[in-house]
Amino acid sequence: MKRTTKTFTVTGKIKVEERSYVKEKVAMTVFARVGRRTLASTPVNKNGTFTLKFDRKGDLAPANMELVVGPPVQEGRLTKAATQQIPISANEWKKSGSNFSVEKEVFIPGDIIVCWLPREIKICGVVCKETPIADSEKTRCCPVPYAKVEIYDVDPLIFTLDHPYTTVSAADSVIEKPFMEAEIMGEIPRPPQPSPSPSPYMSEAVSEAVLDESIGYIDIAKRFEYLPLYSKDLLAETYTDQCGEFCITFTWYPGCINPDIEPDLIFKVSQTFNDGTGPVTHTLYAEGYSDTRWDTADYHWVKLDVDDDVFVACNPDCHPLLDRRALFLGVGDQEIYNHIEQGDDPSRACGFVYNGNFLKSPFGAMLDIRGVFGSKVEEMGERWYRISYAKINNCASKPADDDPTAWTPLTDTLTDTKYYWDAGEGTLHYESVALGPHSLSGHPDAEFYKIRNTQDDDGHDLYWQNQNVIAEWQTVEKIAGEWTGKVDDGLYVLKMEVFEEDGSPASDVLVGDDEANFAYLYMYINNKIPMVEIKEIYNGGDLISMACGSFEHVIGEQVMFLVDAYHPDNHLRYWHMTYQIGYGSSSGHVDRLSDGTVWAADPLLEDFRGKDNQNIIWTNFDADLGLTADPPSPCSTFGIAIQLSAATKTINGYNFLGSSYGHYQEVHAGLAVHHDDSGGE
């Protein structure tokens, strides 16, 4: 008997958990899968609905089918940790003629949605060929112009995901051995990578201790020597300018797979030139697995040195910005000049961030100060630097550099993790390093930080997890359990200085560019939190008791709240008041106003104070509660929960600050509303 083909249709609606930090419309794709086989896939439309169709022979609906909802990436890169799975059993299908259908409602938690938000990654740098300086043992960077730079994301094929680590103690070290299994939705799992803590991977001396713990008795130390098997995805490509410099921005989906929460990058550089017979392309620089830059920041600067034995057309007339210089890059992901205003432009206030939703946003809490030191800064031995700050009135009022009373050094602890690949051992070594603060000769106060080495004493090329973070500035402190400003709110300027090992200023290091524009960083600090309070509630002009919140309501009477929902210095991001009726699904907004970062329809305001001892009128009170002249039901008493919340525009360089530092506040009130539904009889 010939089996007929049936059509199966899955329709659904996706609901996303509301989170204050989920500001963007998230793109999603839905897959229908049985085991590891995909039957159909479709994007989710802007209304959150989807329709999947597939044909199947036979009269039985598929058993144990699963809907998989995830970001719009290659299916092979979807994992269970980064997707939402919804099972569909055989008895859920409804038969209509020769077709089957099922409807599903899918709820996506906010923690997963955050991992689906695309991120903008910006990579800048310079490509150099080191050339000797005449009558000197030094070299200089000869920039490589018009070279093609390719950026890849590395995905090693040996990985652990859903299984715990086995730990083995040996020689006072804790060795972490991942299992070699991974539950994946597709073909390629994500990689292991250096831990932020100083815990080295397997060394030759202790590998024997875990042979019995290894799947298939594989020596874990050796396996990295012969494998690293890895895939690499091309993320972006660009070309250097006439002076060997480049910048490119591309979109990256982080995923929810721990620990791969940042892109892991390697680079390739090639150049095409005419050798007399025609254009010829040569690979000038190519990185492999051992060169991976783990956990690259959203804004990162690199220097790519062409191999000594490679023929290169370089431009000796250029003097690369970062050859012997030290300069600021910005704060967190916010770039100096591009995002952080550094002048007195009347349209953009100095020291504030202007970058998309970060409209005139001040800085606060814990700040990563980013900078970079030129490739030649360490040629004459160990170098140290000091970063100091001064409070100023405007960008034209910087104090004199030689006035020690005007400047305060940063002294917050700075650590970083360095790592290198030892091809002989087949191991990845990494170690946490305390970069400062330290004291130097003639300077007893601990206020100096060590410039990171790019090579160790044994000739290994060193990489650092946070290469461009040159200082941490903690602008808040916790007093009596509450976060408060450690420095006064206002405009500050930061400067950097480079010193030799003996404590003397480094005369051959230029701070800033040729015009010293990057020698200073202007930034506005504000750690004030929003004021939020529901002061009084009125019904029909009558003040009701805040203790019990109970009142009689007649259709047409005005319900009003006297509130505080403001920022003292006009840096409010939004305020909004919501309601919830009982424990059901009846909820919504009483009123709201934001700067545009939460609701696209709201106005975009630079200086936004909010509601300072002002009224909020519940305009649609009767409609929201379903109260009419002819009541729809005999139930006439409503329990209502009210929430008033507000958040500031203060950022830490990466995102808006939230409740952790008090920059998101909310208060609540309960109402017991009785409506006389007798119709006046």
Side-chain angles (χ1 to χ4, degrees), residues 641-665:
I642 300 295
Q643 176 180 291
L644 175 66
S645 59
T648 71
K649 292 199 296 183
T650 308
I651 69 173
N652 61 0
Y654 300 102
N655 213 329
F656 293 110
L657 296 178
S659 57
S660 298
Y661 297 102
H663 288 268
Y664 169 83
Q665 296 282 330

PDB file of all heavy atoms in Angstrom, residues 641-665:
ATOM      1  N   ALA A 641      -1.916  46.309  41.985  1.00  0.00           N
ATOM      2  CA  ALA A 641      -0.540  46.617  42.390  1.00  0.00           C
ATOM      3  C   ALA A 641       0.021  47.671  41.449  1.00  0.00           C
ATOM      4  O   ALA A 641      -0.080  47.539  40.224  1.00  0.00           O
ATOM      5  CB  ALA A 641       0.319  45.363  42.354  1.00  0.00           C
ATOM      6  N   ILE A 642       0.598  48.725  42.016  1.00  0.00           N
ATOM      7  CA  ILE A 642       1.173  49.828  41.250  1.00  0.00           C
ATOM      8  C   ILE A 642       2.691  49.821  41.434  1.00  0.00           C
ATOM      9  O   ILE A 642       3.182  49.663  42.556  1.00  0.00           O
ATOM     10  CB  ILE A 642       0.611  51.187  41.707  1.00  0.00           C
ATOM     11  CG1 ILE A 642      -0.907  51.226  41.511  1.00  0.00           C
ATOM     12  CG2 ILE A 642       1.285  52.326  40.954  1.00  0.00           C
ATOM     13  CD1 ILE A 642      -1.344  51.160  40.065  1.00  0.00           C
ATOM     14  N   GLN A 643       3.414  49.991  40.345  1.00  0.00           N
ATOM     15  CA  GLN A 643       4.876  50.108  40.419  1.00  0.00           C
ATOM     16  C   GLN A 643       5.324  51.364  39.687  1.00  0.00           C
ATOM     17  O   GLN A 643       4.959  51.581  38.535  1.00  0.00           O
ATOM     18  CB  GLN A 643       5.557  48.895  39.792  1.00  0.00           C
ATOM     19  CG  GLN A 643       7.086  49.011  39.745  1.00  0.00           C
ATOM     20  CD  GLN A 643       7.748  47.806  39.119  1.00  0.00           C
ATOM     21  OE1 GLN A 643       7.736  46.719  39.691  1.00  0.00           O
ATOM     22  NE2 GLN A 643       8.313  47.982  37.925  1.00  0.00           N
ATOM     23  N   LEU A 644       6.134  52.176  40.372  1.00  0.00           N
ATOM     24  CA  LEU A 644       6.747  53.359  39.772  1.00  0.00           C
ATOM     25  C   LEU A 644       8.249  53.126  39.736  1.00  0.00           C
ATOM     26  O   LEU A 644       8.861  52.829  40.769  1.00  0.00           O
ATOM     27  CB  LEU A 644       6.426  54.610  40.588  1.00  0.00           C
ATOM     28  CG  LEU A 644       7.101  55.909  40.131  1.00  0.00           C
ATOM     29  CD1 LEU A 644       6.592  56.339  38.762  1.00  0.00           C
ATOM     30  CD2 LEU A 644       6.885  57.021  41.161  1.00  0.00           C
ATOM     31  N   SER A 645       8.849  53.235  38.556  1.00  0.00           N
ATOM     32  CA  SER A 645      10.284  52.979  38.440  1.00  0.00           C
ATOM     33  C   SER A 645      10.944  54.063  37.602  1.00  0.00           C
ATOM     34  O   SER A 645      10.293  54.735  36.806  1.00  0.00           O
ATOM     35  CB  SER A 645      10.536  51.604  37.806  1.00  0.00           C
ATOM     36  OG  SER A 645       9.954  51.531  36.526  1.00  0.00           O
ATOM     37  N   ALA A 646      12.240  54.218  37.814  1.00  0.00           N
ATOM     38  CA  ALA A 646      13.024  55.211  37.076  1.00  0.00           C
ATOM     39  C   ALA A 646      14.458  54.728  36.988  1.00  0.00           C
ATOM     40  O   ALA A 646      14.941  53.977  37.845  1.00  0.00           O
ATOM     41  CB  ALA A 646      12.965  56.575  37.759  1.00  0.00           C
ATOM     42  N   ALA A 647      15.159  55.156  35.933  1.00  0.00           N
ATOM     43  CA  ALA A 647      16.558  54.776  35.729  1.00  0.00           C
ATOM     44  C   ALA A 647      17.328  55.953  35.165  1.00  0.00           C
ATOM     45  O   ALA A 647      16.769  56.795  34.457  1.00  0.00           O
ATOM     46  CB  ALA A 647      16.660  53.577  34.788  1.00  0.00           C
ATOM     47  N   THR A 648      18.618  56.002  35.472  1.00  0.00           N
ATOM     48  CA  THR A 648      19.458  57.093  34.990  1.00  0.00           C
ATOM     49  C   THR A 648      20.106  56.732  33.654  1.00  0.00           C
ATOM     50  O   THR A 648      20.085  55.582  33.222  1.00  0.00           O
ATOM     51  CB  THR A 648      20.574  57.428  35.998  1.00  0.00           C
ATOM     52  OG1 THR A 648      21.539  56.364  35.986  1.00  0.00           O
ATOM     53  CG2 THR A 648      20.019  57.603  37.393  1.00  0.00           C
ATOM     54  N   LYS A 649      20.714  57.742  33.037  1.00  0.00           N
ATOM     55  CA  LYS A 649      21.472  57.537  31.791  1.00  0.00           C
ATOM     56  C   LYS A 649      22.950  57.273  32.069  1.00  0.00           C
ATOM     57  O   LYS A 649      23.741  57.227  31.139  1.00  0.00           O
ATOM     58  CB  LYS A 649      21.342  58.764  30.889  1.00  0.00           C
ATOM     59  CG  LYS A 649      19.947  58.977  30.336  1.00  0.00           C
ATOM     60  CD  LYS A 649      19.956  59.890  29.130  1.00  0.00           C
ATOM     61  CE  LYS A 649      20.417  61.289  29.485  1.00  0.00           C
ATOM     62  NZ  LYS A 649      20.351  62.205  28.335  1.00  0.00           N
ATOM     63  N   THR A 650      23.314  57.122  33.326  1.00  0.00           N
ATOM     64  CA  THR A 650      24.721  56.909  33.671  1.00  0.00           C
ATOM     65  C   THR A 650      25.208  55.574  33.128  1.00  0.00           C
ATOM     66  O   THR A 650      24.516  54.559  33.235  1.00  0.00           O
ATOM     67  CB  THR A 650      24.891  56.949  35.197  1.00  0.00           C
ATOM     68  OG1 THR A 650      24.311  58.148  35.707  1.00  0.00           O
ATOM     69  CG2 THR A 650      26.360  56.898  35.568  1.00  0.00           C
ATOM     70  N   ILE A 651      26.409  55.564  32.545  1.00  0.00           N
ATOM     71  CA  ILE A 651      26.960  54.340  31.971  1.00  0.00           C
ATOM     72  C   ILE A 651      28.345  54.066  32.564  1.00  0.00           C
ATOM     73  O   ILE A 651      28.995  54.945  33.128  1.00  0.00           O
ATOM     74  CB  ILE A 651      27.060  54.410  30.432  1.00  0.00           C
ATOM     75  CG1 ILE A 651      28.120  55.420  29.999  1.00  0.00           C
ATOM     76  CG2 ILE A 651      25.721  54.776  29.822  1.00  0.00           C
ATOM     77  CD1 ILE A 651      28.381  55.402  28.499  1.00  0.00           C
ATOM     78  N   ASN A 652      28.786  52.823  32.428  1.00  0.00           N
ATOM     79  CA  ASN A 652      30.138  52.442  32.865  1.00  0.00           C
ATOM     80  C   ASN A 652      31.077  52.275  31.678  1.00  0.00           C
ATOM     81  O   ASN A 652      32.159  51.697  31.818  1.00  0.00           O
ATOM     82  CB  ASN A 652      30.088  51.151  33.681  1.00  0.00           C
ATOM     83  CG  ASN A 652      29.536  49.984  32.887  1.00  0.00           C
ATOM     84  OD1 ASN A 652      29.186  50.119  31.716  1.00  0.00           O
ATOM     85  ND2 ASN A 652      29.441  48.831  33.519  1.00  0.00           N
ATOM     86  N   GLY A 653      30.666  52.778  30.533  1.00  0.00           N
ATOM     87  CA  GLY A 653      31.469  52.630  29.322  1.00  0.00           C
ATOM     88  C   GLY A 653      30.995  51.499  28.448  1.00  0.00           C
ATOM     89  O   GLY A 653      31.358  51.432  27.266  1.00  0.00           O
ATOM     90  N   TYR A 654      30.189  50.593  29.022  1.00  0.00           N
ATOM     91  CA  TYR A 654      29.665  49.470  28.262  1.00  0.00           C
ATOM     92  C   TYR A 654      28.149  49.562  28.114  1.00  0.00           C
ATOM     93  O   TYR A 654      27.613  49.371  27.040  1.00  0.00           O
ATOM     94  CB  TYR A 654      30.029  48.141  28.937  1.00  0.00           C
ATOM     95  CG  TYR A 654      31.509  47.923  29.079  1.00  0.00           C
ATOM     96  CD1 TYR A 654      32.143  48.128  30.305  1.00  0.00           C
ATOM     97  CD2 TYR A 654      32.283  47.526  28.004  1.00  0.00           C
ATOM     98  CE1 TYR A 654      33.503  47.931  30.447  1.00  0.00           C
ATOM     99  CE2 TYR A 654      33.655  47.332  28.128  1.00  0.00           C
ATOM    100  CZ  TYR A 654      34.262  47.538  29.361  1.00  0.00           C
ATOM    101  OH  TYR A 654      35.609  47.354  29.492  1.00  0.00           O
ATOM    102  N   ASN A 655      27.464  49.845  29.241  1.00  0.00           N
ATOM    103  CA  ASN A 655      26.013  49.889  29.200  1.00  0.00           C
ATOM    104  C   ASN A 655      25.509  50.793  30.311  1.00  0.00           C
ATOM    105  O   ASN A 655      26.292  51.282  31.136  1.00  0.00           O
ATOM    106  CB  ASN A 655      25.420  48.483  29.355  1.00  0.00           C
ATOM    107  CG  ASN A 655      24.133  48.324  28.580  1.00  0.00           C
ATOM    108  OD1 ASN A 655      23.374  49.283  28.404  1.00  0.00           O
ATOM    109  ND2 ASN A 655      23.862  47.116  28.119  1.00  0.00           N
ATOM    110  N   PHE A 656      24.198  51.005  30.322  1.00  0.00           N
ATOM    111  CA  PHE A 656      23.605  51.785  31.397  1.00  0.00           C
ATOM    112  C   PHE A 656      23.767  51.041  32.713  1.00  0.00           C
ATOM    113  O   PHE A 656      23.689  49.813  32.768  1.00  0.00           O
ATOM    114  CB  PHE A 656      22.112  52.016  31.128  1.00  0.00           C
ATOM    115  CG  PHE A 656      21.828  52.898  29.946  1.00  0.00           C
ATOM    116  CD1 PHE A 656      21.271  52.374  28.789  1.00  0.00           C
ATOM    117  CD2 PHE A 656      22.114  54.248  29.987  1.00  0.00           C
ATOM    118  CE1 PHE A 656      21.005  53.181  27.694  1.00  0.00           C
ATOM    119  CE2 PHE A 656      21.857  55.065  28.891  1.00  0.00           C
ATOM    120  CZ  PHE A 656      21.301  54.536  27.748  1.00  0.00           C
ATOM    121  N   LEU A 657      23.989  51.785  33.775  1.00  0.00           N
ATOM    122  CA  LEU A 657      24.059  51.182  35.098  1.00  0.00           C
ATOM    123  C   LEU A 657      22.655  50.831  35.566  1.00  0.00           C
ATOM    124  O   LEU A 657      21.688  51.512  35.241  1.00  0.00           O
ATOM    125  CB  LEU A 657      24.707  52.145  36.090  1.00  0.00           C
ATOM    126  CG  LEU A 657      26.163  52.514  35.804  1.00  0.00           C
ATOM    127  CD1 LEU A 657      26.668  53.511  36.825  1.00  0.00           C
ATOM    128  CD2 LEU A 657      27.048  51.270  35.799  1.00  0.00           C
ATOM    129  N   GLY A 658      22.536  49.768  36.340  1.00  0.00           N
ATOM    130  CA  GLY A 658      21.226  49.320  36.802  1.00  0.00           C
ATOM    131  C   GLY A 658      21.105  49.348  38.305  1.00  0.00           C
ATOM    132  O   GLY A 658      21.678  50.193  38.996  1.00  0.00           O
ATOM    133  N   SER A 659      20.370  48.366  38.830  1.00  0.00           N
ATOM    134  CA  SER A 659      20.071  48.337  40.262  1.00  0.00           C
ATOM    135  C   SER A 659      21.295  48.033  41.115  1.00  0.00           C
ATOM    136  O   SER A 659      21.307  48.335  42.309  1.00  0.00           O
ATOM    137  CB  SER A 659      18.988  47.299  40.533  1.00  0.00           C
ATOM    138  OG  SER A 659      19.378  46.016  40.061  1.00  0.00           O
ATOM    139  N   SER A 660      22.344  47.428  40.522  1.00  0.00           N
ATOM    140  CA  SER A 660      23.529  47.070  41.310  1.00  0.00           C
ATOM    141  C   SER A 660      24.142  48.275  42.004  1.00  0.00           C
ATOM    142  O   SER A 660      24.662  48.175  43.113  1.00  0.00           O
ATOM    143  CB  SER A 660      24.581  46.406  40.418  1.00  0.00           C
ATOM    144  OG  SER A 660      24.096  45.221  39.862  1.00  0.00           O
ATOM    145  N   TYR A 661      24.093  49.435  41.357  1.00  0.00           N
ATOM    146  CA  TYR A 661      24.641  50.651  41.938  1.00  0.00           C
ATOM    147  C   TYR A 661      23.555  51.679  42.235  1.00  0.00           C
ATOM    148  O   TYR A 661      23.846  52.853  42.421  1.00  0.00           O
ATOM    149  CB  TYR A 661      25.680  51.260  40.989  1.00  0.00           C
ATOM    150  CG  TYR A 661      26.870  50.361  40.779  1.00  0.00           C
ATOM    151  CD1 TYR A 661      27.000  49.608  39.618  1.00  0.00           C
ATOM    152  CD2 TYR A 661      27.858  50.241  41.753  1.00  0.00           C
ATOM    153  CE1 TYR A 661      28.085  48.767  39.424  1.00  0.00           C
ATOM    154  CE2 TYR A 661      28.937  49.400  41.574  1.00  0.00           C
ATOM    155  CZ  TYR A 661      29.046  48.669  40.405  1.00  0.00           C
ATOM    156  OH  TYR A 661      30.121  47.834  40.221  1.00  0.00           O
ATOM    157  N   GLY A 662      22.293  51.240  42.254  1.00  0.00           N
ATOM    158  CA  GLY A 662      21.197  52.123  42.620  1.00  0.00           C
ATOM    159  C   GLY A 662      20.695  53.015  41.516  1.00  0.00           C
ATOM    160  O   GLY A 662      19.877  53.907  41.782  1.00  0.00           O
ATOM    161  N   HIS A 663      21.135  52.787  40.274  1.00  0.00           N
ATOM    162  CA  HIS A 663      20.718  53.672  39.187  1.00  0.00           C
ATOM    163  C   HIS A 663      19.386  53.248  38.568  1.00  0.00           C
ATOM    164  O   HIS A 663      18.889  53.913  37.666  1.00  0.00           O
ATOM    165  CB  HIS A 663      21.809  53.758  38.126  1.00  0.00           C
ATOM    166  CG  HIS A 663      22.989  54.557  38.579  1.00  0.00           C
ATOM    167  ND1 HIS A 663      23.108  55.904  38.341  1.00  0.00           N
ATOM    168  CD2 HIS A 663      24.085  54.199  39.301  1.00  0.00           C
ATOM    169  CE1 HIS A 663      24.245  56.349  38.889  1.00  0.00           C
ATOM    170  NE2 HIS A 663      24.844  55.330  39.463  1.00  0.00           N
ATOM    171  N   TYR A 664      18.834  52.156  39.042  1.00  0.00           N
ATOM    172  CA  TYR A 664      17.450  51.797  38.748  1.00  0.00           C
ATOM    173  C   TYR A 664      16.734  51.671  40.083  1.00  0.00           C
ATOM    174  O   TYR A 664      17.195  50.957  40.981  1.00  0.00           O
ATOM    175  CB  TYR A 664      17.359  50.483  37.982  1.00  0.00           C
ATOM    176  CG  TYR A 664      15.938  49.941  37.887  1.00  0.00           C
ATOM    177  CD1 TYR A 664      15.064  50.396  36.903  1.00  0.00           C
ATOM    178  CD2 TYR A 664      15.470  49.001  38.802  1.00  0.00           C
ATOM    179  CE1 TYR A 664      13.758  49.920  36.827  1.00  0.00           C
ATOM    180  CE2 TYR A 664      14.166  48.522  38.731  1.00  0.00           C
ATOM    181  CZ  TYR A 664      13.318  48.982  37.747  1.00  0.00           C
ATOM    182  OH  TYR A 664      12.026  48.518  37.675  1.00  0.00           O
ATOM    183  N   GLN A 665      15.631  52.404  40.254  1.00  0.00           N
ATOM    184  CA  GLN A 665      14.883  52.394  41.505  1.00  0.00           C
ATOM    185  C   GLN A 665      13.411  52.149  41.201  1.00  0.00           C
ATOM    186  O   GLN A 665      12.887  52.603  40.172  1.00  0.00           O
ATOM    187  CB  GLN A 665      15.030  53.741  42.235  1.00  0.00           C
ATOM    188  CG  GLN A 665      16.450  54.070  42.685  1.00  0.00           C
ATOM    189  CD  GLN A 665      16.847  53.322  43.937  1.00  0.00           C
ATOM    190  OE1 GLN A 665      16.014  53.004  44.781  1.00  0.00           O
ATOM    191  NE2 GLN A 665      18.132  53.032  44.078  1.00  0.00           N
TER     192      GLN A 665
END
